Amino acid sequence: MNADAGRAAEPAWALELDCRGMRCPAPIIELARRYTEVGIGELVAVVATDVAARVDVPAWCRMRGQEYVDEAVTTDCTPAYVVRRVS
Amino acid sequence: MTTPAYLDAASSEPLHPAARETLLAALEHGYADPRRLHGPARNARLMLDNAREVVASCLGVRPDEVTFTPSGTHAVHLGVLGLLAGRARVSPVLARGAVEHSSVVHAGDWHAARGGSVIELPVDREGHVVASALSMESLGVESLGVVAVQAANHEVGTVQPVAEIADAVDAPLFMDACAAAGRIDLPTGWATAAVSAHKWGGPAGVGALLVRKGARWRNPFPGDDRIDERSLGFENVPGALASAAALQAVTEARAEIAPRQHALVEEIRTRVAATVPDVEVVGDPDSRLPHLVTFSCLYVDGEALVTELDRRGFGVASGSACTASTLQPSHVLAAMGVLTHGNVRVSLTLDATADQVDSFLTQLPDVVRAIRAQVDL
């Protein structure tokens, strides 16, 4: 995901959710609340410092029938968990 | 109507009545140094040997394969590191399951900090170590010192294919049986194993290291001059005997206890999935420990869940990060790739009743609903 060389500063996701500093399950609640703001087929990035998000974003995708794409990093090196809205 | 319940037996089972009775009697008579040559010492020695024979018989091993230790954790450390010491000239590589108990993880870290290396064996979504992926090529190592795989998982209950794994690898296997001993028949194929008495209704402060005849085990620690060269410190004779009494009692009653608990947990698995929306009940649904189950509720704060259940009289454990001293989510749930927040582990005491389980299952949906209602979804 987002592997285009030199394009790291210009993310390919349509929506970035800033969940820095939030603790579980707040980043997942934020994702559930807002993922419908993007169109079907588009990407949402959950930018989270909470380590539980690394497991819980893919698990949410599996439980809610959405597609987990990959883990990327933002320009400030915070993990970004990228989800594709498929329904 | 509420029937409160302690539902955290997998953390520690209440003292079994047989253990209490034996402990009180043994405290009276088992005080002397079992190595000495006088009468009180002979009494203590007899009690210790008796405890060893009972534990051996219940676990299906020989008495001289049983060493009492000051805890299950200490038995784990001795079991893992002692096998590695015996294999030092062959390979420094420890391969351990990704869902092992933290005592195995810490033993591995200790080994790595002293020049050894550790690789992690991946698990599937239900928590089984994948036995078919155990060749040296797929593990990416040139040699294998020791393999460490638990008998059954302490958080999700999944029984591991220990015998199959032992067959598949060319290295001795350490088996952490702390969660499984007294609950299920132990598998075969291992070289060393560890058990913990307070998990089956014995007192805390008693574990046992099991070393199979012929296993190449070397003491990784300074050692001592006790009756059993594998252990250290003054023997806890009353504790050992009380632990043996509890193990004997639960082993004798297992044909009744295990199916009853298995059915109660089946009831929990089914009703939680049916009555709580957006819940994930994890672990192997069939090949599992009879007395425990873990599930995770989407959008629910684990600490709030445990606290509210406690307020209503139910004591449960949780693998969610917010409930852990480390603020890390359970490495077991993470390795399985299942939801880590809103997590609850329910584990039944030996005398848990259908009323307790029903009461818990009746209240759980309300508790989850109330916590979810506090967030605007």
Side-chain angles (χ1 to χ4, degrees):
Chain A
M1 162 62 225
N2 208 29
D4 274 4
R7 289 202 55 201
E10 193 186 331
W13 42 79
L15 176 65
E16 179 170 311
L17 303 175
D18 181 7
C19 302
R20 292 175 180 85
M22 289 184 192
R23 282 174 52 187
C24 77
I28 309 302
I29 292 173
E30 187 69 2
L31 171 62
R33 212 180 256 158
R34 299 191 53 195
Y35 80 101
T36 51
E37 290 175 21
V38 305
I40 288 173
E42 289 189 316
L43 302 179
V44 183
V46 181
V47 178
T49 45
D50 179 23
V51 287
R54 178 166 287 132
V55 182
D56 286 359
V57 172
W60 177 87
C61 291
R62 188 163 42 73
M63 291 173 77
R64 306 303 299 179
Q66 305 301 321
E67 181 190 334
Y68 180 68
V69 179
D70 205 353
E71 179 178 337
V73 282
T74 60
T75 47
D76 69 348
C77 294
T78 308
Y81 307 100
V82 184
V83 173
R84 187 189 313 278
R85 183 184 173 199
V86 295
S87 63
Chain B
M1 198 177 67
T2 299
T3 314
Y6 170 75
L7 299 171
D8 195 15
S11 291
S12 196
E13 176 77 30
L15 194 65
H16 194 285
R20 177 184 304 275
E21 198 180 308
T22 305
L23 186 60
L24 292 175
L27 283 170
E28 189 102 354
H29 303 291
Y31 55 87
D33 186 338
R35 291 175 314 166
R36 302 296 176 215
L37 302 177
H38 46 68
R42 277 195 299 278
N43 281 343
R45 178 63 191 260
L46 272 174
M47 291 160 91
L48 190 62
D49 287 348
N50 183 10
R52 195 193 308 278
E53 271 168 36
V54 169
V55 167
S57 150
C58 291
L59 298 178
V61 298
R62 297 162 38 136
D64 61 357
E65 295 174 330
V66 177
T67 299
F68 290 108
T69 62
S71 67
T73 295
H74 191 66
V76 166
H77 293 171
L78 284 169
V80 173
L81 299 170
L83 267 192
L84 282 163
R87 292 277 285 178
R89 276 190 280 181
V90 182
S91 169
V93 179
L94 168 68
R96 62 156 180 83
V99 296
E100 292 296 310
H101 186 267
S102 59
S103 57
V104 177
V105 176
H106 286 303
D109 292 349
W110 200 84
H111 175 62
R114 280 154 187 77
S117 64
V118 180
I119 55 172
E120 211 170 75
L121 306 172
V123 295
D124 63 20
R125 181 63 44 76
E126 290 184 347
H128 309 98
V129 171
V130 186
S132 59
L134 289 180
S135 68
M136 304 248 224
E137 296 77 45
S138 53
L139 293 177
V141 291
E142 286 175 1
S143 64
L144 206 48
V146 171
V147 176
V149 176
Q150 61 204 179
N153 186 265
H154 52 290
E155 281 183 41
V156 302
T158 298
V159 170
Q160 298 291 355
V162 170
E164 201 183 324
I165 293 165
D167 273 350
V169 294
D170 184 23
L173 187 143
F174 164 77
M175 175 177 75
D176 168 17
C178 290
R183 310 281 177 177
I184 56 173
D185 278 330
L186 297 186
T188 55
W190 46 273
T192 59
V195 298
S196 176
H198 74 104
K199 306 284 191 189
W200 67 60
V206 182
L209 165 71
L210 312 178
V211 179
R212 273 353 271 267
K213 203 84 190 159
R216 193 180 161 82
W217 184 91
R218 298 290 177 270
N219 198 330
F221 300 137
D224 201 354
D225 301 320
R226 304 304 307 174
I227 289 172
D228 190 327
E229 60 181 21
R230 290 180 184 135
S231 194
L232 81 178
F234 190 86
E235 292 83 357
N236 178 0
V237 173
L241 196 61
S243 301
L247 184 59
Q248 188 167 42
V250 300
T251 304
E252 280 168 2
R254 193 158 80 217
E256 181 274 317
I257 295 168
R260 177 168 51 77
Q261 290 191 324
H262 203 276
L264 287 173
V265 164
E266 184 60 42
E267 164 100 359
I268 298 172
R269 296 185 71 97
T270 310
R271 270 175 68 185
V272 166
T275 60
V276 180
D278 292 319
V279 73
E280 193 167 37
V281 184
V282 304
D284 191 314
D286 303 309
S287 180
R288 58 168 167 82
L289 292 174
H291 66 302
L292 74 89
V293 56
T294 290
F295 53 88
S296 299
C297 310
L298 202 53
Y299 313 133
V300 170
D301 179 295
E303 188 179 5
L305 191 50
V306 170
T307 305
E308 178 57 20
L309 286 168
D310 174 54
R311 202 184 65 75
R312 295 179 181 228
F314 302 106
V316 299
S318 171
S320 294
C322 48
T323 67
S325 54
T326 54
L327 290 181
Q328 297 278 327
S330 148
H331 72 277
V332 172
L333 301 177
M336 292 165 63
V338 298
L339 200 65
T340 71
H341 69 248
N343 178 259
V344 166
R345 181 187 69 185
V346 173
S347 52
L348 306 178
T349 57
L350 295 161
D351 60 359
T353 64
D355 276 352
Q356 289 176 321
V357 167
D358 183 64
S359 185
F360 172 77
L361 289 171
T362 305
Q363 301 208 35
L364 179 71
D366 283 343
V367 172
V368 172
R369 198 177 306 121
I371 295 171
R372 282 181 177 155
Q374 291 165 19
V375 295
D376 176 30
L377 274 167

